[in-house]
Amino acid sequence: MTDEQTTQRLNTEGADLLTLAGVNDANLIELQRQTGTRVTLRGDTLTLVGTAEAVERATSVAQRMIDAAKQGTVLDSDDVLRMSMDGSREPAGGDNRIVLPGVRKIIQPKTPGQAEYLGLIADNDIVVGIGPAGTGKTYLAVAAAVDALSRKRVRRIILARPAVEAGESLGFLPGDMQAKVDPYLRPLYDALEDMMPVERMQKALETRTIEIAPLAYMRGRTLADAFVILDEAQNATAAQMKMFLTRLGVNSKTMITGDKTQIDLPKREESGLMQIERILTGIDGIAFHYLNETDVIRHRLVREIIKAYAEDGGD
């Protein structure tokens, strides 16, 4: 009979069972939904029951889930969905996993596009990551920077964002200039807080081992022995982008991330991100990588929303 039931039992010893199962067993429920198998977790055994074809497919996905749970990787139902869509391919992480011992966390790419992105960061001095919100372009860049610092490959991390409104138009806000620009830099602080113990991050900021500042603060400096990230680069003017790129010093790596659909500059000003896409492509040591809605790792609806806007042709 073609619908004869097959049973497969997988050993989960060493895996964090809460990570594996998910909140309210959401990961196991998603595995059932995607593969058509019946999934149960008892002790150190994950049992899969279904047709031979379904169990074979579920076994591949379940083993990847178990491996992720053993490595301390965050795992949710969207990850299970992606693993199911990937079929029997090897996990996207490969050798690109980033181990952050300070917070006992492993960060790894969750899509093939993210895996390629991290590979380019490792192999090039300048990488330009372009894609919509939620694709991990900034988060993975910050992870790579923290990893480089912890391995003493660089002496400092510099994170910059063009605060488009951080000039006179912010004059109505209370506080000094730092207080005025901090809201624009907050996402960079958030990423760092997720990757370093709070005390270590605060000390690094105090000693300027890590610096988070508006792009304008980079003028006139040479950024040597540093991992430098320019986030929201679509809002850097052509002049600012040239200034930033020519700051690169010896033993430095530069990451530029941006979303071409979210340009906040006045129409008369050309986005520096759009310009370098035209004029720097093909230079050895500079890599461009494009992420899309298939790389979105936020709520699954974000992927659908981005896709809908792209199909509509709007920003």
Side-chain angles (χ1 to χ4, degrees), residues 194-220:
D194 201 36
M195 298 175 196
M196 299 178 71
V198 175
E199 321 79 57
R200 189 180 302 173
M201 187 185 97
Q202 290 175 343
K203 182 178 180 181
L205 289 168
E206 289 170 4
T207 59
R208 299 180 74 80
T209 301
I210 297 178
E211 182 179 352
I212 304 177
L215 174 59
Y217 286 25
M218 301 298 109
R219 191 175 302 279

Side-chain angles (χ1 to χ4, degrees), residues 300-311:
R300 70 183 67 192
L301 286 177
V302 175
R303 188 184 309 118
E304 296 302 321
I305 290 168
I306 291 170
K307 183 179 179 182
Y309 270 99
E311 290 174 352

Side-chain angles (χ1 to χ4, degrees), residues 10-21:
L10 300 176
N11 188 351
T12 64
E13 186 177 358
D16 184 311
L17 297 185
L18 179 58
T19 298
L20 177 61

Side-chain angles (χ1 to χ4, degrees), residues 154-209:
V154 296
R155 292 173 52 197
R156 56 184 173 155
I157 295 173
I158 298 173
L159 308 175
R161 266 190 165 201
V164 176
E165 300 88 347
E168 291 77 9
S169 59
L170 277 187
F172 66 90
L173 290 177
D176 58 16
M177 180 54 75
Q178 191 62 43
K180 292 176 181 181
V181 299
D182 267 354
Y184 300 95
L185 305 175
R186 187 70 244 173
L188 298 175
Y189 285 101
D190 291 343
L192 274 179
E193 287 173 355
D194 201 36
M195 298 175 196
M196 299 178 71
V198 175
E199 321 79 57
R200 189 180 302 173
M201 187 185 97
Q202 290 175 343
K203 182 178 180 181
L205 289 168
E206 289 170 4
T207 59
R208 299 180 74 80
T209 301

Side-chain angles (χ1 to χ4, degrees), residues 148-313:
L149 182 66
S150 66
R151 294 173 184 270
K152 301 189 182 334
R153 292 173 178 166
V154 296
R155 292 173 52 197
R156 56 184 173 155
I157 295 173
I158 298 173
L159 308 175
R161 266 190 165 201
V164 176
E165 300 88 347
E168 291 77 9
S169 59
L170 277 187
F172 66 90
L173 290 177
D176 58 16
M177 180 54 75
Q178 191 62 43
K180 292 176 181 181
V181 299
D182 267 354
Y184 300 95
L185 305 175
R186 187 70 244 173
L188 298 175
Y189 285 101
D190 291 343
L192 274 179
E193 287 173 355
D194 201 36
M195 298 175 196
M196 299 178 71
V198 175
E199 321 79 57
R200 189 180 302 173
M201 187 185 97
Q202 290 175 343
K203 182 178 180 181
L205 289 168
E206 289 170 4
T207 59
R208 299 180 74 80
T209 301
I210 297 178
E211 182 179 352
I212 304 177
L215 174 59
Y217 286 25
M218 301 298 109
R219 191 175 302 279
R221 302 175 59 183
T222 300
L223 308 177
D225 287 313
F227 198 117
V228 190
I229 300 174
L230 173 59
D231 189 34
E232 297 290 335
Q234 74 276 2
N235 288 327
T237 64
Q240 286 176 326
M241 183 66 76
K242 181 180 179 182
M243 176 272 291
F244 173 76
L245 286 170
T246 54
R247 300 306 95 201
L248 188 62
V250 177
N251 189 40
S252 286
K253 187 179 287 285
T254 296
M255 283 294 309
I256 298 170
T257 64
D259 179 355
K260 294 191 294 183
T261 69
Q262 299 292 328
I263 298 175
D264 297 323
L265 292 168
K267 293 189 188 308
R268 68 179 182 276
E269 292 187 289
E270 181 184 26
S271 167
L273 180 63
M274 304 287 279
Q275 183 185 48
I276 63 170
E277 188 182 20
R278 291 197 312 271
I279 68 175
L280 298 186
T281 302
I283 296 179
D284 188 35
I286 301 179
F288 285 78
H289 186 63
Y290 296 86
L291 297 155
N292 56 45
E293 69 273 4
T294 63
D295 298 300
V296 171
I297 55 172
R298 293 180 185 171
H299 193 289
R300 70 183 67 192
L301 286 177
V302 175
R303 188 184 309 118
E304 296 302 321
I305 290 168
I306 291 170
K307 183 179 179 182
Y309 270 99
E311 290 174 352
D312 185 60

